[in-house]
Amino acid sequence: MVDLIWLFPILPASSALILALFGRRYLGEKLSSSIAIASMLANVVLAALTLKTVLGMDPESLPHTVILYEWITAGKLHVNMAFMVDQLTCVMLSFISFVGSLVFIYSTGYMHGDKDYIRFFTLLSLFAAAMFTLILGDSFVTMFIGWEGVGLCSYLLIGYYMDKNWAVDAGKKAFIVNRVGDFGFLLGMFIIFWQTGSLTFKEVFHAAPTFSTGLVTAATLCLFLGATGKSAQIPLFIWLPDAMAGPTPVSALIHAATMVTAGVYMVARCNPLFAIAPATMMVIACVGAATAFVAASIGLTQRDIKKVLAYSTVSQLGYMFLGLGMGAYSAGIFHVFTHAFFKGCLFLCAGSVIHGMSGEQDMFNMGGLRKKMPITWITYLISCFAIAGIPPFSGFFSKDEILWKTWESGNYALWFVGVAAAMMTSIYMFRSLILTFHGKPRADHHTFAHAHESPLSMTMPLMILAAGATLVGFLNVPSAVWPGMMRFEHFLAPVFEHGSEAGPAAIVEAVEHHSFGMERILMMLSAGIGLTGLVIATVLYSGKWQARTTRIAQAAGPLYRLSANRWWWDDLYNRLIVEGTKATAIVALLFDQWIVDGVVNGTGRVARAASAQLRRVQNGQVQAYALAILVGVNITILLLLFR
């Protein structure tokens, strides 16, 4: 089956082409969405068969490359249109195709009746094709094609409501911010090609030991800049919360399970390069920890249910990069895997609530929906347990592994930041649960009276994702709990063997020399943090919570304003970049008007004035011309006489 991996991008791309050409005129809504869903379900089957084949192959024969044709030949640059598959690719293909299929099915109910229903499924299919290209590419060039493809589709889907200025602005913001990161990605590619003469992963990684420390640090920092854009890390995370302007299924697919994990995947894929750049690894860890903390602190005060989940996504991505920076590549990818289930479920639950509440997104105008929407409530609750890191739900196993690797590496400050972010995560997620589903209804009577559970096409994906959020954590149970059950890490070990051997200096023989006793203590602490957050949220937001939280906000003062105003990141960027660009443009305009145009226009004015005087001589009178000739002759004679 591995020789058929080229079908992964081809199937959804074909679906997008068919829908674009024939959907509106010949196919209609139902058939169009069925074609899109069928392409994703076919990829689910293909992913399962590919995984089965890879499990039966000799790890030494991986990665397996399928070359379709020779693509680019320019001087020393030779790039094939080729796809490759290994253990890491299998993991990504499995959950992207599976979660993607559920989102496609969910969208049939959520988007039913939308005037651009077919365009929506066309863009979803095109996005899936680009994402599979990114994952399967065997070179930086092929990866970059998919990288830019998901960026384009993200822009189109975020700005899907083209008649809404706020949606269009959000799409442009996402597109522009991502271009900043992509500039870094390109610089990293240029440095790598300059050093190795190749952009194919296999050849670049083979030549990695020949890199000088400075060069590999520069290349990896540039690549990481690309990752901060795509995966919403400080300083390029500001686009993701605004990306909630798109339909909720877009948030679930692109901004929870697939596109935003592209940066994490890229760093993990390039682990032979990053592992020999310890300075870059520490930068990744610090940026990841800072992003997790900042985004979690912002999530504490948001009112919009989708904004809470957006900042939650940014925070969880920070955890993934913290794990990668510690050299715990498998732990970071495992959190990507579990996150796809519980965050996809949370976003789809939010969509179900918005659908049932006639478009309302402010949690302060909800409440009391538990009995109105029981399936949405129980699946949201399960996903909250998972993201809060409460055992035995999946988020506990993946998040705890990252925190344990951070502690074991000796970076206690980063561990503390991660723990603080975990506490805030538990608080704001259970806050969203209580405000949305519990307490007395705060919506207007008409809206609450018509609130209802979503149809089966929407609730069925919720139940499947909630089951995944409950069970998939058992794929990587820590050895301190159940020896021999870290199957996920063992499966990925061949991909990360080089990175593990040459990890940052701060990592001290993590696998061979650690205390199971200390790991168990930290696991209990991690579980306790999740439960403590649940208790705090319950105390703060039950009963007469409005007066209580108002007093806390007043007591917190600057800290509350810092969170509510999102640390003023957008204001800072508006002042420095937007207003700075406008000021520079004004200066450039004045320079253009007074200097550039002034020189050109001034030259013209001088020529015109001179010509005006010369025109007086050419007056058409013969007498004047004869007089001029006589004067000239006399002057000439005088010059000859007195020479």
Side-chain angles (χ1 to χ4, degrees), residues 5 92 155 216 270 292 294 301 319 375 402 430 433 480 483 574-575 580-581:
I5 55 174
M92 301 296 291
Y155 160 70
V216 74
C270 299
V294 170
T301 57
Y319 272 107
I375 297 176
I402 291 172
F430 286 111
L433 174 78
N574 282 333
R575 291 285 181 87
T581 302

Side-chain angles (χ1 to χ4, degrees), residues 399-449:
K399 187 183 295 185
D400 177 74
E401 186 69 12
I402 291 172
L403 292 175
W404 165 243
K405 294 294 185 182
T406 305
W407 173 275
E408 192 179 32
S409 72
N411 290 283
Y412 303 122
L414 294 180
W415 174 85
F416 181 79
V417 172
V419 167
M423 173 68 79
M424 290 187 287
T425 298
S426 181
I427 294 172
Y428 69 66
M429 285 310 307
F430 286 111
R431 167 183 178 264
S432 70
L433 174 78
I434 295 169
L435 290 178
T436 302
F437 295 99
H438 295 264
K440 296 181 179 179
R442 296 179 298 279
D444 63 81
H445 176 73
H446 181 268
T447 301
F448 185 77

Side-chain angles (χ1 to χ4, degrees), residues 294-310:
V294 170
S297 68
I298 296 173
L300 291 170
T301 57
Q302 300 303 302
R303 296 170 60 111
D304 187 318
I305 187 171
K306 287 179 69 176
K307 284 291 180 70
V308 172
L309 299 180

Side-chain angles (χ1 to χ4, degrees), residues 70-207:
E70 187 175 317
W71 182 22
I72 300 174
T73 300
K76 294 192 300 181
L77 178 61
H78 298 279
V79 178
N80 294 320
M81 175 52 69
F83 298 123
M84 72 175 195
V85 63
D86 62 2
Q87 295 87 343
L88 177 59
T89 307
C90 282
V91 170
M92 301 296 291
L93 292 176
S94 298
F95 77 80
I96 289 173
S97 56
F98 183 74
V99 176
S101 298
L102 295 176
V103 173
F104 275 50
I105 294 171
Y106 177 95
S107 299
T108 60
Y110 189 88
M111 300 300 294
H112 177 67
D114 187 271
K115 61 185 179 66
D116 289 319
Y117 184 93
I118 295 174
R119 175 167 67 90
F120 179 79
F121 275 94
T122 302
L123 294 175
L124 279 188
S125 296
L126 188 61
F127 168 81
M131 191 66 199
F132 286 123
T133 301
L134 188 158
I135 297 301
L136 288 166
D138 85 320
S139 68
F140 283 99
V141 179
T142 312
M143 174 185 278
F144 191 72
I145 296 299
W147 188 276
E148 290 299 290
V150 295
L152 172 63
C153 294
S154 176
Y155 160 70
L156 295 172
L157 285 165
I158 293 168
Y160 174 77
Y161 299 115
M162 295 184 293
D163 55 339
K164 309 291 186 182
N165 288 334
W166 45 268
V168 174
D169 290 341
K172 290 188 290 187
K173 184 176 183 179
F175 191 79
I176 293 169
V177 171
N178 271 275
R179 298 294 72 73
V180 177
D182 295 348
F183 173 71
F185 195 122
L186 281 171
L187 283 181
M189 289 170 58
F190 294 157
I191 295 172
I192 290 169
F193 179 71
W194 177 44
Q195 174 69 15
T196 65
S198 176
L199 289 173
T200 302
F201 289 137
K202 184 176 181 180
E203 296 175 0
V204 170
F205 298 159
H206 180 74

Side-chain angles (χ1 to χ4, degrees), residues 108-392:
T108 60
Y110 189 88
M111 300 300 294
H112 177 67
D114 187 271
K115 61 185 179 66
D116 289 319
Y117 184 93
I118 295 174
R119 175 167 67 90
F120 179 79
F121 275 94
T122 302
L123 294 175
L124 279 188
S125 296
L126 188 61
F127 168 81
M131 191 66 199
F132 286 123
T133 301
L134 188 158
I135 297 301
L136 288 166
D138 85 320
S139 68
F140 283 99
V141 179
T142 312
M143 174 185 278
F144 191 72
I145 296 299
W147 188 276
E148 290 299 290
V150 295
L152 172 63
C153 294
S154 176
Y155 160 70
L156 295 172
L157 285 165
I158 293 168
Y160 174 77
Y161 299 115
M162 295 184 293
D163 55 339
K164 309 291 186 182
N165 288 334
W166 45 268
V168 174
D169 290 341
K172 290 188 290 187
K173 184 176 183 179
F175 191 79
I176 293 169
V177 171
N178 271 275
R179 298 294 72 73
V180 177
D182 295 348
F183 173 71
F185 195 122
L186 281 171
L187 283 181
M189 289 170 58
F190 294 157
I191 295 172
I192 290 169
F193 179 71
W194 177 44
Q195 174 69 15
T196 65
S198 176
L199 289 173
T200 302
F201 289 137
K202 184 176 181 180
E203 296 175 0
V204 170
F205 298 159
H206 180 74
T210 65
F211 278 68
S212 66
T213 302
L215 201 62
V216 74
T217 300
T220 51
L221 284 174
C222 288
L223 292 176
F224 178 59
L225 176 60
T228 62
K230 199 67 71 185
S231 294
Q233 297 296 286
I234 291 174
L236 300 179
F237 73 99
I238 57 171
W239 68 270
L240 184 59
D242 289 350
M244 299 302 108
T248 300
V250 173
S251 304
L253 179 65
I254 298 180
H255 306 120
T258 53
M259 179 184 133
V260 292
T261 62
V264 181
Y265 169 76
M266 184 267 287
V267 173
R269 170 60 67 199
C270 299
N271 70 90
L273 291 176
F274 282 89
I276 58 176
T280 302
M281 294 288 277
M282 188 51 63
V283 169
I284 293 173
C286 291
V287 169
T291 302
F293 181 87
V294 170
S297 68
I298 296 173
L300 291 170
T301 57
Q302 300 303 302
R303 296 170 60 111
D304 187 318
I305 187 171
K306 287 179 69 176
K307 284 291 180 70
V308 172
L309 299 180
Y311 282 106
S312 171
T313 297
V314 176
S315 183
Q316 296 307 304
L317 289 166
Y319 272 107
M320 298 170 199
F321 279 105
L322 174 60
L324 296 179
M326 291 295 100
Y329 301 103
S330 295
I333 294 298
F334 188 51
H335 200 50
V336 171
F337 184 72
T338 61
H339 178 263
F341 288 91
F342 60 70
K343 184 56 63 65
C345 185
L346 286 167
F347 267 115
L348 296 186
C349 286
S352 179
V353 170
I354 295 168
H355 182 269
M357 290 287 288
S358 304
E360 180 61 67
Q361 295 186 201
D362 190 339
M363 296 184 298
F364 285 21
N365 295 329
M366 296 181 185
L369 294 177
R370 180 166 60 94
K371 293 182 180 179
K372 290 270 189 176
M373 310 178 73
I375 297 176
T376 303
W377 167 69
I378 191 65
T379 52
Y380 196 94
L381 174 64
I382 290 171
S383 298
C384 283
F385 283 138
I387 194 173
I390 295 175

Side-chain angles (χ1 to χ4, degrees), residues 303-609:
R303 296 170 60 111
D304 187 318
I305 187 171
K306 287 179 69 176
K307 284 291 180 70
V308 172
L309 299 180
Y311 282 106
S312 171
T313 297
V314 176
S315 183
Q316 296 307 304
L317 289 166
Y319 272 107
M320 298 170 199
F321 279 105
L322 174 60
L324 296 179
M326 291 295 100
Y329 301 103
S330 295
I333 294 298
F334 188 51
H335 200 50
V336 171
F337 184 72
T338 61
H339 178 263
F341 288 91
F342 60 70
K343 184 56 63 65
C345 185
L346 286 167
F347 267 115
L348 296 186
C349 286
S352 179
V353 170
I354 295 168
H355 182 269
M357 290 287 288
S358 304
E360 180 61 67
Q361 295 186 201
D362 190 339
M363 296 184 298
F364 285 21
N365 295 329
M366 296 181 185
L369 294 177
R370 180 166 60 94
K371 293 182 180 179
K372 290 270 189 176
M373 310 178 73
I375 297 176
T376 303
W377 167 69
I378 191 65
T379 52
Y380 196 94
L381 174 64
I382 290 171
S383 298
C384 283
F385 283 138
I387 194 173
I390 295 175
F393 298 91
S394 61
F396 167 75
F397 297 103
S398 57
K399 187 183 295 185
D400 177 74
E401 186 69 12
I402 291 172
L403 292 175
W404 165 243
K405 294 294 185 182
T406 305
W407 173 275
E408 192 179 32
S409 72
N411 290 283
Y412 303 122
L414 294 180
W415 174 85
F416 181 79
V417 172
V419 167
M423 173 68 79
M424 290 187 287
T425 298
S426 181
I427 294 172
Y428 69 66
M429 285 310 307
F430 286 111
R431 167 183 178 264
S432 70
L433 174 78
I434 295 169
L435 290 178
T436 302
F437 295 99
H438 295 264
K440 296 181 179 179
R442 296 179 298 279
D444 63 81
H445 176 73
H446 181 268
T447 301
F448 185 77
H450 288 82
H452 58 278
E453 186 61 275
S454 299
L456 183 63
S457 61
M458 295 174 66
T459 55
M460 184 267 291
L462 298 183
M463 291 184 282
I464 295 174
L465 288 172
T470 305
L471 300 173
V472 296
F474 291 98
L475 293 174
N476 205 52
V477 179
S479 298
V481 175
W482 195 341
M485 283 297 291
M486 298 193 73
R487 295 177 179 174
F488 191 91
E489 183 172 329
H490 294 154
F491 177 65
L492 291 178
V495 180
F496 301 132
E497 59 182 352
H498 299 293
S500 300
E501 292 169 2
I507 300 176
V508 285
E509 300 178 355
V511 176
E512 290 81 4
H513 300 91
H514 69 260
S515 166
F516 281 152
M518 177 57 72
E519 185 174 2
R520 293 189 184 101
I521 292 172
L522 293 180
M523 287 177 66
M524 289 187 287
L525 177 62
S526 179
I529 288 169
L531 292 171
T532 302
L534 167 60
V535 172
I536 293 174
T538 303
V539 171
L540 291 180
Y541 294 97
S542 60
K544 299 179 179 180
W545 61 270
Q546 291 171 314
R548 188 184 307 121
T549 54
T550 300
R551 289 195 301 271
I552 293 174
Q554 292 173 345
L559 292 178
Y560 177 82
R561 291 192 294 274
L562 183 69
S563 172
N565 290 285
R566 302 184 290 184
W567 286 55
W568 291 286
W569 278 96
D570 285 283
D571 298 300
L572 175 64
Y573 284 175
N574 282 333
R575 291 285 181 87
L576 292 180
I577 299 174
V578 178
E579 298 301 329
T581 302
K582 288 181 179 179
T584 304
I586 292 173
V587 172
L589 178 63
L590 294 175
F591 180 83
D592 185 65
Q593 288 178 338
W594 294 100
I595 305 299
V596 178
D597 288 352
V599 170
V600 174
N601 295 335
T603 303
R605 292 191 186 99
V606 170
R608 172 182 280 183

